[in-house]
Amino acid sequence: MTEKLFAVSTADALLIDPSNDTLVIKAKALLNSSMEQSMQSTDINAGRGSQLQFVYNSQKVLAFQIEAADFSPVYLALQTGSDIKNKMSKYFTEELVVFDASGKGTLSQAPIGNVYVESPANHVTKAPVGKEITDIAYANQELNVVYQYNVQVDELEIGANDFPKAYKLVLTSDIFNADGDKAYEQQIEVPRYKLDGALSVNLAHDSVAQFTMNGKALSDNDKYATVKWLPVNGTSVKVSSLATDVSEVTLAVGEKQKVITLGLRGGGYSNILMDNAKLTFSSDDELIAKFANGEITGVGTGETNVKVSDGKYTDVIEVVVS
């Protein structure tokens, strides 16, 4: 990954309940998805002039900002630490009721308790009989009536002592090259992600309510998160040179030795094991030694060089056959 790359997309987010390995939510309409690492530093100064001798780092924190544009009741459930239950519940409704010449109006649902009639002058509390409201003052009018009735709903109770729990968080985003082509998928996996419990439902006339799933990574076996890059669209892992696990080999006639070829990627990257099927093996003198599929074979006495190449880089091994 040495070419110029650009992370220009927001991520898709998965939250998985580790207790039963179930997918809780898949968020694909995020406005923002960011990761920020912070830590405390303590300077140790000593000597003449109180020179800085050492910096002690501690309290590393890996925090995430995740903001969704779409709505899901699950967002509220996650941040409140409560479950959504389907149950019969009292529900407020408002409907326009037509009153006849006798002042009688009929509601569409059976109300629970009193109803509230919005008359031209004020709101009046009435005690209905069944679904009917009767008052001669309402004769031949259409009035709004507010009341409660029983109905099956999904219900979330925000408890005073309920708090969010930890989930596995997976964020997947795109990485593009300088030509604008998608080159990699980036995936950040947090084994234990603790939501911060912050909840804000902003219902405004000129905007869409946004919901956050902000939180912090909890330590899991001394690890906060793992970041992975998957090459896509023909992108290959680039190396800066090849190196074999041996530079000199001494063999008897007929003796064989396996050779491991590594691709060196430069600073910040560990070496990768090269696939022999994608390499070319050759010998300067096959009467002395042959080199094929990562294996050197002694053929006849003498000294020669064998080579391995990926088409761009080559490594050479000195071979002595006695």
Side-chain angles (χ1 to χ4, degrees), residues 80-219:
T80 59
S82 307
D83 292 327
I84 300 171
K85 299 177 181 178
N86 189 266
K87 56 186 291 188
M88 290 295 294
S89 184
K90 296 177 182 178
Y91 193 84
F92 276 100
T93 187
E94 179 180 355
E95 69 174 277
L96 186 64
V97 177
V98 178
F99 291 86
D100 62 19
S102 67
K104 182 174 72 175
T106 304
L107 302 170
S108 62
Q109 304 291 335
I112 300 171
N114 292 328
V115 302
Y116 311 100
V117 181
E118 185 178 344
S119 68
N122 52 24
H123 291 86
V124 180
T125 301
K126 289 289 185 179
V129 178
K131 293 184 178 182
E132 295 181 351
I133 310 166
T134 302
D135 190 323
I136 192 61
Y138 304 149
N140 299 318
Q141 296 186 61
E142 294 183 0
L143 300 174
N144 284 318
V145 179
V146 176
Y147 63 96
Q148 276 186 304
Y149 69 102
N150 273 323
V151 66
Q152 195 83 14
V153 296
D154 283 335
E155 182 176 293
L156 174 68
E157 183 178 280
I158 302 177
N161 293 310
D162 293 332
F163 301 96
K165 65 179 186 178
Y167 295 89
K168 177 187 288 186
L169 170 68
V170 180
L171 293 173
T172 304
S173 59
D174 296 331
I175 306 295
F176 295 85
N177 60 27
D179 294 327
D181 299 320
K182 180 178 173 181
Y184 295 88
E185 276 192 356
Q186 175 178 268
Q187 195 163 93
I188 303 172
E189 183 176 321
V190 183
R192 299 176 64 223
Y193 179 65
K194 186 68 161 60
L195 293 159
D196 63 8
L199 181 63
S200 176
V201 182
N202 180 26
L203 303 176
H205 73 93
D206 58 351
S207 63
V208 177
Q210 298 163 8
F211 298 88
T212 62
M213 294 186 291
N214 300 337
K216 297 177 181 178
L218 304 180
S219 178

Side-chain angles (χ1 to χ4, degrees), residues 1-6 175-179 183:
M1 204 185 294
T2 57
E3 70 271 38
K4 288 185 178 180
L5 298 172
F6 303 89
I175 306 295
F176 295 85
N177 60 27
D179 294 327

Side-chain angles (χ1 to χ4, degrees), residues 220-278:
D220 183 69
N221 294 322
D222 292 332
K223 178 180 70 177
Y224 280 148
T226 303
V227 185
K228 308 169 187 178
W229 293 275
L230 174 68
V232 297
N233 297 329
T235 301
S236 59
V237 176
K238 292 180 173 57
V239 299
S240 58
S241 62
L242 297 181
T244 55
D245 61 338
V246 291
S247 59
E248 298 178 358
V249 174
T250 300
L251 299 173
V253 174
E255 187 179 358
K256 300 177 183 290
Q257 179 166 333
K258 291 283 188 180
V259 174
I260 296 173
T261 305
L262 300 175
L264 309 185
R265 302 183 66 194
Y269 292 93
S270 62
N271 301 330
I272 61 171
L273 179 65
M274 300 297 287
D275 183 356
N276 285 340
K278 297 179 180 179

Side-chain angles (χ1 to χ4, degrees), residues 52-63:
L52 181 63
Q53 305 291 335
F54 181 72
V55 177
Y56 175 70
N57 297 123
S58 61
Q59 299 182 43
K60 179 186 285 187
V61 175
L62 193 64

